Amino acid sequence: MSRSSAPVSPLRLFGTDALIGEEDRALRDAVRQFVEEKIRPEVGDWYEQGSLPARDMAKELGALGVLGMHLEGYGCAGTSATAYGLACMELEAGDSGLRSLVSVQGSLAMFAIWKHGSEEQKQEWLPRMAAGDAIGCFGLTEPDFGSNPAGMRTRARRDGDDWVLTGNKMWITNGSVADVAVVWAQTDERIRGFVVPTDTPGFSAPEIKRKLSLRASVTSELVLDDVRLPSSAVLPEAAGLSGPLSCLNEARFGIVFGALGAARDCLETTIAYARERDIFDRPLASYQLTQAKLADMTLELGKGMLLALHLGRLKDAEQLAPGQVSLGKLNNVREAIAIARECRTILGAAGITTEFPVMRHANNLESVLTYEGTSEVHQLVIGKAVTGEAAFR
Ligand SMILES: Cc1cc2nc3c(=O)[nH]c(=O)nc-3n(C[C@H](O)[C@H](O)[C@H](O)COP(=O)(O)OP(=O)(O)OC[C@H]3O[C@@H](n4cnc5c(N)ncnc54)[C@H](O)[C@@H]3O)c2cc1C
């Protein structure tokens, strides 16, 4: 009797496709095909070179329909939240940098304008951003204020009818390639958001170099040196920290799915490798120690997927609370990075180059663990929810 049988991919074993509607699956498959054809052949080189052809890529992603895809109107596709999550998963199976471009564009910059902007701001920016003809960035973090954005030093002061912005933002995705920056600043009253065309005098965005993570992504500092804006530049519907936090919640939701894409790519790559690689005269995949690792990773990937789909369904029913997004972001990124590192052990030395995507994903996930709320911040959010005690300070 044969001891071997055809292998089943980890998520197929979980049967999670049965939980996804036909329309959402079709959208997901289109993004998967795009990643296979346009991203996978190139991304190892982009990563090594520390660059991303962001302008061309934005246009292609716009044509694919994923920029602001879960928003209604203004040239956006108006898909389900679950479909958006699944698209993030496929994009991040390509590279976290690609998914970051899409998250920042759709969930941070476009969402901020869509949710908090004036009709004039929406008309001016959203259709171009959905098409990928204009790139957006989102400036919240500062050199001294990451986890505690309430302390921000960037100021917006009134001068007649104008606003004048001064300060520095740090670690801003898409910053140097952006046409428009959504910048959050402290005013005499509350934190307000501003729509800043990046050709406004006094605005500059030097790129941050020497990154060892998210190398196929543009990360920048924003320098605001007396940037003068008309009164119409302020986001009228956002006052206080709840404005930027509402946007972060959207992007975090995408990451709940996205991180699993990187993990899935690592695991599938590793299973294929272990089946091919002979060690002591038999396939690495046939050893119990290897199978124990693969089984545990399959479990965590599948559990993460079930959690993501559950949160997607809650979001589609407009019942998703921020604390629940923290559950997903904390678990799925933490498990994804653990999977990537474990996969690297199975690849041995072959795992340390860009010939395989595993270490690239692992390095990328270091950033994903930190941005959009660090793991510790999400632990504190969950801790507050279940104890009623805030332990942030
Ligand atoms: C590649 C990349 C892209 C990014 N893109 C953007 C972007 O587009 N826009 C934007 O605004 N920001 C962006 N960020 C910034 C990101 O959101 C911040 O890095 C993140 O919020 C953490 O801030 P920090 O790096 O200053 O760390 P810190 O806030 O200094 O945290 C340092 C450590 O302290 C821990 N910590 C914080 N508070 C507590 C506490 N109360 N108790 C215990 N431990 C605590 C943290 O968890 C962390 O481990 C990006 C970051 C990266 C790396």
Side-chain angles (χ1 to χ4, degrees), residues 54 59 61 129 143 164 168 175 213 222 228 235 237 281 337 346:
K59 283 200 167 51
L61 292 163
M129 293 172 85
V164 179
N168 290 69
S213 171
L222 304 186
R228 182 172 289 274
L235 291 171
E237 306 299 333
D281 306 321
I337 200 167
I346 296 176

Side-chain angles (χ1 to χ4, degrees), residues 84-89 92 96 99-100 103-104 107-108 247-263 304 308 311 325 328-334 336 365 367-373 378:
Y84 168 61
L86 292 167
C88 286
M89 187 171 178
E92 197 147 356
S96 304
R99 200 268 307 138
S100 297
S103 290
V104 169
S107 285
L108 294 181
C247 307
L248 293 181
N249 219 35
E250 292 294 302
R252 289 169 180 172
F253 171 79
I255 293 171
V256 173
F257 283 83
L260 297 178
L311 298 183
V325 179
K329 205 267 180 182
L330 175 61
N331 183 75
N332 287 7
V333 180
R334 192 162 63 182
L365 288 165
S367 289
V368 181
L369 200 66
T370 287
Y371 70 25
E372 299 291 348
H378 290 296

Side-chain angles (χ1 to χ4, degrees), residues 138 140-141 146-147 171-173 214 367 370-371 374 376 380 392:
F138 183 90
L140 178 65
T141 304
S147 302
W171 307 114
I172 307 305
T173 303
L214 226 67
S367 289
T370 287
Y371 70 25
T374 63
E376 293 78 10
L380 292 170
F392 293 90

Side-chain angles (χ1 to χ4, degrees), residues 8 15 24 59 77 79 85 103-104 112 119 141 147 167 197 234 259 272 285 301 306 310 320 335 342 362 387:
V8 180
D24 290 354
K59 283 200 167 51
T79 69
S103 290
V104 169
E119 188 55 34
T141 304
S147 302
V234 72
L301 181 68
L306 290 171
H310 171 61
L320 184 62
E335 294 308 328
E342 188 81 304
T387 66

Side-chain angles (χ1 to χ4, degrees), residues 50-71:
S51 67
L52 175 75
R55 290 230 150 256
D56 294 347
M57 202 39 63
K59 283 200 167 51
E60 299 224 35
L61 292 163
L64 185 65
V66 295
L67 301 178
M69 65 188 275
H70 61 308
L71 306 179

